[in-house]
């Protein structure tokens, strides 16, 4: 888990440092209609700052899947989507922030979900610890701090194994993203109405 969080942190840092060229690249590849360019640029500029929270939520979900905590995963997803909807409506509708409000709402929802997910992991850790008499019953945060100084954690071979074991998922995800990007690109060529309608279809598919 700590190795996965470290990889997520490195990727998030890279995304934040390269956010301007990534934003330009995304606009160039997706080629949205002229009337949608400003909105898309604004949305991406804000959403990219949420990369750390987004990647951390992926790690937390992966850990909960590995621990067979299906109820916790469902609760986390429901919380994330509920908060996202609430903040989007409040910021975009009530405060009239428009697309920027939707982007801010999503980032805020993801940040809050990270803390809730961390708490769920803490509860899971305690549950496992008390069932195993040989385990360390200290709280999860304290245990993680101790492990940061464990040389085994930073073993290059272990990192390589982690990345290799997820290779097929990376390829699958990349193919899905390329498919969605292609769908979005061709939708944009038919105008903003078709682009918006097809984006709703993508949300249903996902």
């Amino acid at each position: 888990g700590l190795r996965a969080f470290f990889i997520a942190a490195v990727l998030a840092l890279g995304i934040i440092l390269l956010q301007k060229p990534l934003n330009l690249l995304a606009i160039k590849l997706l080629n949205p209609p002229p009337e949608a360019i400003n909105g898309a640029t604004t949305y991406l500029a804000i959403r990219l700052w949420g990369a750390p929270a987004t990647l951390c939520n992926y790690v937390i979900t992966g850990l909960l899947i590995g621990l067979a905590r299906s109820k916790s995963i469902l609760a986390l997803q429901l919380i994330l989507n509920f908060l996202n909807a609430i903040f989007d409506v409040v910021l975009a509708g009530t405060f009239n922030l428009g697309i920027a409000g939707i982007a801010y709402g999503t980032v805020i929802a993801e940040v809050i979900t990270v803390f809730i997910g961390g708490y769920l992991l803490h509860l899971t850790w305690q549950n496992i610890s008390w069932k195993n008499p040989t385990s360390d019953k200290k709280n999860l945060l304290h245990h993680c701090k101790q492990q940061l100084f464990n040389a085994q954690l930073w073993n290059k071979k272990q990192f390589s194994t982690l990345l290799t074991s997820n290779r097929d998922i990376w390829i699958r995800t990349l193919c899905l993203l390329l498919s969605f990007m292609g769908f979005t690109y061709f939708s944009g060529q038919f105008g903003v109405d078709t682009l918006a309608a097809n984006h709703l279809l993508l949300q249903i598919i996902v």
Side-chain angles (χ1 to χ4, degrees):
L2 288 175
R3 292 190 190 101
F5 276 118
F6 177 77
I7 293 172
V10 171
L11 290 174
L13 180 61
I15 290 172
I16 290 175
L17 292 176
L18 299 172
Q19 58 180 304
K20 288 187 177 180
L22 287 175
N23 199 332
L24 292 173
L25 178 63
I27 296 299
K28 186 174 182 179
L29 290 176
L30 295 176
N31 191 27
E35 56 268 42
I37 289 179
N38 287 337
T41 303
T42 300
Y43 181 82
L44 286 173
I46 298 170
R47 281 290 285 116
L48 288 177
W49 282 101
T54 301
L55 294 173
C56 281
N57 279 320
Y58 288 155
V59 174
I60 291 171
T61 301
L63 288 171
L64 291 173
I65 290 174
L67 293 167
R69 293 300 191 270
S70 56
K71 291 182 180 179
S72 295
I73 298 168
L74 176 60
L76 201 61
Q77 291 303 309
L78 289 175
I79 291 170
L80 173 59
N81 286 283
F82 175 76
L83 291 175
N84 194 5
I86 294 298
F87 284 121
D88 285 356
V89 170
V90 171
L91 295 177
T94 305
F95 291 97
N96 296 316
L97 294 178
I99 293 175
I102 294 175
Y104 281 123
T106 303
V107 171
I108 294 171
E110 289 185 331
V111 171
I112 294 174
T113 304
V114 168
F115 288 99
I116 297 174
Y119 180 68
L120 290 176
L121 285 177
H122 171 69
L123 293 179
T124 303
W125 168 266
Q126 286 187 322
N127 186 39
I128 294 174
S129 294
W130 287 108
K131 287 182 179 179
N132 183 4
T134 62
S135 67
D136 182 1
K137 295 181 176 60
K138 297 175 182 177
N139 68 67
L140 180 58
L141 184 60
H142 180 76
H143 178 75
C144 289
K145 288 180 179 179
Q146 287 184 324
Q147 291 303 310
L148 288 175
F149 299 98
N150 186 344
Q152 185 64 20
L153 174 66
W154 306 105
N155 186 288
K156 292 182 179 179
K157 185 177 180 180
Q158 296 294 335
F159 272 99
S160 177
T161 301
L162 177 62
L163 293 172
T164 303
S165 65
N166 288 280
R167 179 187 56 201
D168 293 341
I169 297 177
W170 280 84
I171 295 174
R172 169 192 172 278
T173 303
L174 180 61
C175 290
L176 278 174
L177 288 175
L178 290 175
S179 299
F180 292 157
M181 285 178 62
F183 190 66
T184 303
Y185 171 83
F186 288 115
S187 298
Q189 309 313 302
F190 292 97
V192 290
D193 292 337
T194 303
L195 176 62
N198 285 342
H199 183 69
L200 290 177
L201 291 177
L202 278 179
Q203 298 306 308
I204 296 172
I205 292 172
V206 174

